[in-house]
Amino acid sequence: MNMMNGLFLSPVAMEQTARQCAKKYGTPLFMYNKDRLEESYTLLRQSLPKELVIYYSMKANPNPRIIRFMLEAGSPLEVASAGEYRKALQAGAEAHSIVFTGPGKSRAELEECIAGGVYAVNAESEQEIRIIGEIAASQGKKTSVLLRVNLHVSRHGSRMASGGYASPFGIDEDQLPGVIATIMSIPSIQLIGLHTYLGTQNFNIEFYRESIALMFKLCRRIKDEYRLPLHTLGLGGGFGVPAFAGDHPFAVEEFGRIAGEQIAENRDLGLERIFIESGRFLTAEMGTYITSVLYVKQSYGRRFAILDGGTHHRAFSTLMGRSFKQTLPVTVLPVSGGSYQEGGSAGTEVYTLAGKLCTPSDVLHSGAQLRAGLAEGDLILFPSAGAYGLSCGNVHFLSHGIPREILVSGRDGEKREDISWLG
């Protein structure tokens, strides 16, 4: 099957589905393919040892329909705010399965999630731990806490790192003894385990080989030294999804093999829950962002196509569109019919694909090689748009309307469901 732009459709069916959705719902819009979502989830689940729990990171795509899919597939949820916590409950999640993470949890958020009885709070500083203890004591509770560890690793690879160096995320390894002493002095906190997450868009399997082994080793040392009954271990995530030409799919099967070996070697630790977290890997490739050309112009010898979408819907495009790397190719559906994928060949012209916002940073793709004759009304389709898209963007900037989100399925894309929720 052809997987053009994240859809299991033939080129003809792809063109027809995109055109029909654009006509019915208007552009810009997000089109998600349920079949691709299911395939991504199945790939990850089947690549991992059965003992390894997959937590869905809601921040990647908090659409309620996507959340329900993850819950039905058997994945608990990781939330990063009280707002996400409430949406998780509304979607059917049980509070006692939820992990609450993030370096900037407010007292009000902690109060709400502790009162609700989340599985664990990922604590990221000693001050936060003291506040958790105060809140739990005031509620007459004993709250479960995971320590988010800022591991010292020799191998990196994340394009957006959040650890392994000075960072607002997590607790440095050399700070752990003092933090653990603090926890042991607070009766209202139960330390149940450790967690790490050092960044996203990581394609380096050697990083995971090192970090997974380090986490099991650290867990063993803390259990032995402090006689603590740790039973939970979070191994992180951040698996890379191709975003630029030349990117290769993340070696998820190898990751599963490495994790499986470490789990087998450390069974004597008696861990009850070992988990990874994933968001982008599960949702990115199901999505296509569909825009229409408004104007075509030239300026100082450069060609520009002004689109009706923009970086307020794809925040990371502000960086990706101007990158020295070549982003994944877009697909063009001309008003005159047919379709073609971006690529250098005879008869192409180089365009900068700019959004409609009143800011020079609104560039979705620079250096797009498209056929001559790009015209008003042509549809431009951006692939891998299912994660960190609409809810990650500044959708209220300039008070533009909010695009629809359409879930399609079936070989010909004949099943369509409007799952829009933001407005």
Side-chain angles (χ1 to χ4, degrees):
M1 294 184 183
N2 188 299
M3 290 160 52
M4 181 189 300
N5 292 290
L7 295 171
F8 286 103
L9 305 173
S10 68
V12 173
M14 172 64 185
E15 176 186 343
Q16 181 180 35
T17 301
R19 289 185 187 277
Q20 289 176 351
C21 285
K23 181 177 181 180
K24 181 175 181 178
Y25 302 104
T27 58
L29 69 89
F30 285 86
M31 190 160 62
Y32 304 140
N33 184 267
K34 185 180 179 184
D35 298 330
R36 185 59 186 272
L37 175 62
E38 291 174 348
E39 191 214 43
S40 295
Y41 187 91
T42 299
L43 171 61
L44 183 58
R45 180 66 276 169
Q46 292 182 349
S47 298
L48 302 178
K50 64 180 184 300
E51 303 98 324
L52 202 53
V53 177
I54 301 172
Y55 266 80
Y56 176 57
S57 297
M58 276 181 57
K59 59 183 175 289
N61 189 324
N63 186 292
R65 182 68 179 84
I66 304 303
I67 297 172
R68 288 197 299 273
F69 169 87
M70 297 300 176
L71 291 171
E72 291 165 3
S75 281
L77 305 176
E78 177 209 56
V79 304
S81 71
E84 285 193 345
Y85 170 70
R86 294 182 210 115
K87 286 181 174 60
L89 297 181
Q90 291 167 3
E94 297 180 341
H96 63 77
S97 69
I98 293 173
V99 170
F100 182 26
T101 193
K105 311 175 193 72
S106 69
R107 285 180 179 266
E109 289 178 310
L110 287 167
E111 287 170 355
E112 183 174 350
C113 290
I114 290 171
V118 295
Y119 177 76
V121 178
N122 266 343
E124 311 218 18
S125 69
E126 186 168 352
Q127 185 179 5
E128 180 187 340
I129 288 166
R130 294 184 184 279
I131 292 173
I132 291 171
E134 293 173 10
I135 293 171
S138 71
Q139 295 181 2
K141 291 178 174 289
K142 193 175 183 72
T143 294
S144 295
V145 165
L146 295 168
L147 292 183
R148 178 170 176 173
V149 183
N150 185 359
L151 280 177
H152 176 70
V153 291
S154 61
R155 299 174 177 89
H156 295 275
S158 174
R159 290 176 179 170
M160 287 178 276
S162 56
Y165 62 95
S167 171
F169 297 92
I171 299 166
D172 295 354
E173 284 187 68
D174 60 6
Q175 296 174 356
L176 288 177
V179 170
I180 291 172
T182 296
I183 289 177
M184 294 177 72
S185 72
I186 302 175
S188 56
I189 289 181
Q190 176 69 52
L191 178 60
I192 65 169
L194 308 175
H195 168 260
T196 193
Y197 187 92
L198 299 180
T200 188
Q201 280 298 77
N202 198 327
F203 293 85
N204 184 4
I205 196 65
E206 296 307 315
F207 159 80
Y208 293 101
R209 193 186 309 278
E210 180 183 15
S211 65
I212 291 173
L214 286 174
M215 286 301 290
F216 276 102
K217 182 178 180 180
L218 186 59
C219 181
R220 182 178 296 278
R221 177 163 65 83
I222 290 174
K223 288 191 73 167
D224 290 345
E225 288 185 16
Y226 298 94
R227 302 300 182 199
L228 289 170
L230 306 185
H231 59 70
T232 299
L233 190 62
L235 301 177
F239 310 139
V241 176
F244 298 102
D247 281 350
H248 298 289
F250 176 69
V252 64
E253 296 90 350
E254 180 65 7
F255 174 91
R257 189 187 67 78
I258 293 169
E261 289 178 352
Q262 286 294 319
I263 290 172
E265 291 176 11
N266 291 278
R267 290 197 190 282
D268 62 305
L269 289 175
L271 297 175
E272 299 172 6
R273 176 166 293 199
I274 307 171
F275 69 91
I276 57 99
E277 59 210 81
S278 183
R280 185 192 309 271
F281 185 87
L282 294 173
T283 61
E285 292 183 327
M286 73 172 180
T288 303
Y289 180 54
I290 304 176
T291 65
S292 297
V293 175
L294 296 175
Y295 304 100
V296 179
K297 61 181 289 186
Q298 290 196 40
S299 175
Y300 285 90
R302 293 178 58 189
R303 297 181 180 84
F304 290 83
I306 314 300
L307 311 182
D308 62 359
T311 55
H312 53 321
H313 304 150
R314 302 196 72 204
F316 291 150
S317 292
T318 305
L319 298 176
M320 289 172 57
R322 293 173 177 265
S323 172
F324 62 89
K325 294 184 176 181
Q326 181 65 37
T327 56
L328 294 178
V330 300
T331 297
V332 181
L333 306 185
V335 173
S336 58
S339 66
Y340 68 91
Q341 193 172 73
E342 173 192 359
S345 62
T348 61
E349 299 175 335
V350 177
Y351 290 84
T352 294
L353 304 182
K356 66 185 301 179
L357 304 180
C358 291
T359 169
S361 67
D362 190 18
V363 175
L364 285 161
H365 185 10
S366 60
Q369 299 183 66
L370 308 178
R371 294 178 186 172
L374 193 67
E376 176 188 0
D378 288 353
L379 298 179
I380 308 290
L381 279 57
F382 294 84
S384 203
Y388 298 102
L390 190 54
S391 64
C392 185
N394 187 8
V395 295
H396 297 296
F397 184 49
L398 301 185
S399 298
H400 288 302
I402 298 177
R404 311 305 292 171
E405 295 173 89
I406 310 301
L407 187 68
V408 304
S409 58
R411 182 175 177 81
D412 295 322
E414 67 276 8
K415 299 176 183 178
R416 300 166 193 172
E417 178 184 356
D418 187 345
I419 61 171
S420 307
W421 63 289
L422 286 176

